[in-house]
Each structure stands twice: as structure tokens, then as C-alpha cells.
Amino acid sequence: MGTQIDRRGFLGSATLAATLAASARAGARPVVADAPSVTGRLVDFALKTRFENLPAAVVHECRRYVLDALGCGVAGHLTAKGRLAAAHAAAMGGRGQPGRILGSMARTDLAHAAFANGELINALDYDAIPHVPPFLLPPLLAVAGREGSSGRELIRAVAVGTEIALRLERGTSRMGASIAATGKTPDVFGICNASIVAAAVGCAMLLKLDATRTANALGLAAYFCAVPSSHAWETRAPKSMVKYSPVGVSCQNAVTAALLAASGYTGDPVALDGPAGFPLFFAGLQWDDAAVIAGLGERWGIVGTQYKPHACCRFTHAEVDCLQALVAEHAIRADGIAAIHSLGIPFVANPDMTVVRTQEDAQFSTHYVLALAALGIPLDARCQDPALFTDPRITGLMARTTRDVHPEALTARRSDPSSYLARVEVTMKDGRKLVQETRYPRGTVKPGFEIPDAELVAKCRANLETGLSATKAARALEMMTALNRLDDVGTLLAQLG
């Protein structure tokens, strides 16, 4: 339990053969399908969890989770990435197909619907943190819509799927530890890539598969998992549409894994176990199996979900909050600003924040989002309009903005991983220097920082109305806020078309 595989050894002298040989010398035996395993524990957890046994706080958070993600998905059509993904998926389908694309009347097959909806939900970078919803919900919605699943069945799958996804992220990802130690992401990691496994298990639950076929779905998804290339994307400018992980393809593959398993197609039923399985070929840089299964069914990670008030990278939010507070308190006019100096955590996902060429550039440019905040422009679904990228008011403010590392940011983060210690200093042309500091961005699950239900509903309504009539948006909101009483998820998806 709790095995750690050293990264340098793995990437250097320790080849796959050497790793397996070491296991053999240690007396390791081949893993067989009926052996007790991490895989088996997760499958058992999924099949034994009942809606009636979910804590009320978990059910409530699942409704918020779905509501926020579906709003982001409809608004995703405001991006080129979202529109292209939706058009591609629509071209793969036709009338009579069971898959529905958010914000569209087009019909397609389930896998391509999941592809499009994953891309749409993540397109604006407005979705919740960690970025599990765009990986998990599209596959579940595709299957639930076809199967006529109830809202209670969907909530059960969301709760279980999110829990598995968060645990796999905890057991495989070195991102949090690396940022706390160095302020930078590790050279090799994938943001929420392993969520494909959770999504396949959730789909299996909605398909009512038995333990054997659920394990096969999990095993197939593990082998379909994307390579951990998030760091490579972060180092590039201009930013490309693929972003930090291939969300749409992961969603498509999760649906494919579940449907194949339902048909009798077999995968590795113990994929998360053994020296030659998932711990090596995907999570070879870290595999903490104890973190994956400890307290399973007793603690629910979904209640720690952080919702975004701003449509941009989470690492910029604390700085945006500081500047917005200064603008509101001092009635700052942008034309009176001489300079903006922002300080935050060391990590940035855009190596060139001074130039915005793509919508993805905008999402990850601290300079851009601070310029919008200084001008009083809401950082909502419309803040990535390409017409803003060349607005002289915005480019002028970006040119007067500098950013450095807050001297205490790493220390704060090591003591509290949810900390994003930030300070913004605004120098006015009249000589005044205005300063605001915060330890957490809004949306953090800390007293005084949470996003209340009413604000989340308002965010969803605004997002829905970018593509739906006010009447349809209101009806969809009614269904989502009462999701546990919905008889057929398909009726909600039809309302979002």
C-alpha cells in the first residue's frame, strides 16, 4: 500500500524491464482477476452506493455541480473551440440518434455527444475546480439521456464518479505537491486525465452493469487514458484549443469503454493493480493506492468543489478579486490608473501574458483579466470576445501591468494547499497607492469565500441565456434545482437544446 515510484529513477535508468524484474525479485506474483484489489474496491463502492444513503450535503452539491456545468456548456458556444467541437460531433450524427449536444438541436451518437459536451463545458475555463465536471458529466449525461435515467440515478453516478475521479487524481498527480514545493507544475502530469476511469464507472452504473462488466469498463477506460501532457501545453504560446488535457476525447472514450463492456467486450478487470498495469503505464511518476481507497464511502470530495465566479484560469482569480475590490471601494476610473502591480503564486499557465491572440490566451493571461477588472468589465462568459483583444483601453492597461511572485505565497500554500495568497497594488496618476490582499479566491470552501446557491443560479441563468430563450433557460433551471425529483434526464437535455 502507498507505493511511491521515483520519477528520476523511472525516467532514467529504471526501464520497464528493470521495474518488473525488481517486482519479481521482491516476490511479486501475477495479478489475477479475482484477487482483492484497488479496482475491486472501487467497483464494489460504485455498485453498493445507493441514492438513499448519500448524505444530504452530497445530494445538494451534486445539484449545484450539474447546474454549474450545464450552464458553462451552453455558453461554451461563445468560443471557437466549443463551436468547432459541436459542429464536428453534429457531422457524425443525424436524425434519430440518441446523443444531444448542449445548446444545439443537432443529434448524434452518444460518444460524439459526450465529446462535444466535454469540450463545451471546459471551453471558457468557467467550470468548477478541480476540473472533473467536463470529464465526468458529458459521458454520464449521454448515457442517462438514452437510458431515461432519473435525476436520482444521475446524482448517484455523479457522486460516485466524482469521488473516484478525485481519489485517482490524489493518488496519481504530483501537481499540488510540486506547486507547493517549487511554485511550478511537474514536467509530466495530466490534469484530471484519470477521470476517464471514473466516468466509465459512472456510465456502467447508469447502464446497470454487474460487477464483472463494470470492472471491464474501468479497465478499458484505463487503457484509453490520455498521455499526461499538461505541462507541455502550459509552456506554449499562443495557447492552443486542446488546453491542458483532451477533455472531449476522454469523454468519448469513457462512453465507448462502458458501451463496449456492456456488449461483452473485455478489458483488464484489475487495471489499477499490479506492477505492469495503470500504476506503471500512466501513474508511473506516482501511485499512492492508499490515498485512492482510504475512507472510501465515508468522506465525499464533491463537497469541496470550488465554483468559479470568473471565466478564466483559477490561478488568476485571487488577483482579480483584489483589483475588483479596489475598484469598488475607491470608485477607480481606469483612465486614472498609472500602473498595476500584481503579486501571486509563482505558477502561471501562459508564458506570454502580455499578448492575447486566442481565447485560450485570454483565459490564462493575468494581464488581460486584470485589465478587464480595472475597466469594470464582468469576467463572465462574454469576456473572451475576440473584439476585446485589440481594444486600446485593454491593451493600454495591459502595458501598464506588471506581475511578480508574492514573497509569502509558497509558505502559505505549503501550510494550506487551498491558499492563493495575492496582492494587487494600484498606483494612481494623482499619486495615490491603493493596495488589496487576499489569501483565498472567491469560490474557495472557506467561511466568507463560498459561492452561495443564489449566485450560482444567477451564473447558470446568464450562461444559459447566451444560447437559449429566457423561457427555456428558466425551465431548465427549474429541472436542475429539483434534479432529485426529475423522472427522466432526457427531458432536461431536450430543454437545453
Side-chain angles (χ1 to χ4, degrees):
M1 300 287 285
T3 304
Q4 301 288 325
I5 302 174
D6 180 73
R7 176 179 175 274
R8 291 185 181 276
F10 178 79
L11 295 180
S13 59
T15 61
L16 171 60
T19 302
L20 294 177
S23 297
R25 288 193 298 272
R29 298 177 182 276
V31 178
V32 294
D34 59 353
S37 64
V38 175
T39 312
R41 290 282 297 275
L42 295 181
V43 170
D44 188 61
F45 164 65
L47 297 187
K48 289 184 177 179
T49 298
R50 295 287 177 265
F51 174 86
E52 294 75 16
N53 297 329
L54 292 174
V58 171
V59 173
H60 179 72
E61 206 59 49
C62 285
R63 294 201 303 265
R64 284 163 52 92
Y65 201 78
V66 172
L67 178 147
D68 184 69
L70 294 185
C72 290
V74 172
H77 286 273
L78 294 175
T79 67
K81 170 188 174 78
R83 291 192 299 273
L84 290 170
H88 167 74
M92 298 296 106
R95 295 186 64 178
Q97 292 277 17
R100 293 182 181 271
I101 300 170
L102 296 173
S104 169
M105 294 301 292
R107 303 293 290 267
T108 188
D109 65 277
L110 298 187
H112 279 97
F115 168 86
N117 292 335
E119 294 288 292
L120 285 164
I121 291 173
N122 185 240
L124 287 161
D125 226 71
Y126 212 3
D127 53 290
I129 298 295
H131 284 295
V132 172
F135 288 86
L136 178 72
L137 281 176
L140 300 188
L141 291 169
V143 172
R146 189 193 73 170
E147 296 295 299
S149 303
S150 69
R152 290 159 67 95
E153 289 173 316
L154 177 63
I155 287 172
R156 171 178 171 254
V158 169
V160 169
T162 302
E163 189 62 27
I164 293 174
L166 294 176
R167 287 170 173 275
L168 288 175
E169 185 74 3
R170 189 182 312 138
T172 62
S173 177
R174 295 183 64 251
M175 180 180 178
S178 181
I179 290 177
T182 68
K184 300 178 181 178
T185 57
D187 292 344
V188 180
F189 78 104
I191 293 181
C192 296
N193 276 358
S195 297
I196 184 176
V197 171
V201 172
C203 288
M205 294 169 66
L206 293 168
L207 290 167
K208 298 179 171 58
L209 302 189
D210 60 17
T212 298
R213 297 197 179 198
T214 300
N216 282 325
L218 186 157
L220 289 167
Y223 278 84
F224 294 165
C225 195
V227 297
S229 59
S230 297
H231 183 76
W233 180 83
E234 289 168 357
T235 63
R236 309 284 198 268
K239 311 307 292 179
S240 67
M241 291 180 184
V242 74
K243 296 176 75 169
Y244 29 74
S245 293
V247 178
V249 171
S250 290
C251 292
Q252 181 174 336
N253 286 347
V255 171
T256 300
L259 294 179
L260 282 173
S263 75
Y265 197 107
T266 59
D268 182 354
V270 285
L272 302 183
D273 302 275
F278 189 82
L280 180 68
F281 65 72
F282 176 73
L285 311 185
Q286 172 178 306
W287 176 243
D288 187 350
D289 51 357
V292 176
I293 60 176
L296 189 62
E298 301 168 8
R299 300 190 297 269
W300 294 89
I302 196 169
V303 297
T305 300
Q306 299 184 31
Y307 298 96
K308 286 185 171 187
H310 311 307
C312 54
C313 177
R314 184 61 166 171
F315 289 97
T316 69
H317 281 213
E319 293 159 75
V320 169
D321 290 344
C322 286
L323 186 51
Q324 286 183 333
L326 287 174
V327 169
E329 180 181 354
H330 300 281
I332 292 174
R333 288 178 55 90
D335 57 8
I337 296 175
I340 300 171
H341 185 210
S342 183
L343 300 96
I345 66 171
F347 170 71
V348 292
N350 187 344
D352 185 5
M353 294 186 293
T354 63
V355 180
V356 172
R357 292 147 291 195
T358 70
Q359 289 174 306
E360 290 72 33
D361 279 349
Q363 294 166 20
F364 296 89
S365 168
T366 305
H367 291 52
Y368 176 76
V369 296
L370 288 178
L372 297 186
L375 287 161
I377 298 174
L379 274 89
D380 58 16
R382 300 186 185 279
C383 76
Q384 297 164 27
D385 183 347
L388 296 174
F389 301 166
T390 54
D391 185 320
R393 299 175 304 159
I394 294 170
T395 56
L397 281 166
M398 290 175 66
R400 301 198 297 276
T401 298
T402 55
R403 186 186 189 276
D404 289 310
V405 176
H406 193 296
E408 299 173 20
L410 275 182
T411 301
R413 196 165 179 86
R414 286 167 187 155
S415 62
D416 183 355
S418 60
S419 171
Y420 286 84
L421 189 60
R423 183 167 73 245
V424 172
E425 304 164 352
V426 178
T427 302
M428 303 300 294
K429 291 178 181 178
D430 61 11
R432 288 179 298 158
K433 187 171 184 178
L434 310 175
V435 179
Q436 182 76 23
E437 185 165 300
T438 188
R439 187 180 183 89
Y440 306 107
R442 293 188 60 243
T444 306
V445 186
K446 297 282 186 181
F449 290 89
E450 298 100 333
I451 302 295
D453 288 355
E455 185 176 343
L456 203 64
V457 168
K459 172 189 170 182
C460 181
R461 178 181 289 109
N463 282 338
L464 292 176
E465 289 182 0
T466 64
L468 306 179
S469 68
T471 300
K472 290 196 76 173
R475 178 60 182 143
L477 271 172
E478 288 176 9
M479 293 181 179
M480 287 186 278
T481 53
L483 185 61
N484 52 309
R485 298 194 294 273
L486 188 66
D487 292 329
D488 184 351
V489 172
T491 61
L492 170 61
L493 295 177
Q495 197 69 29
L496 292 167

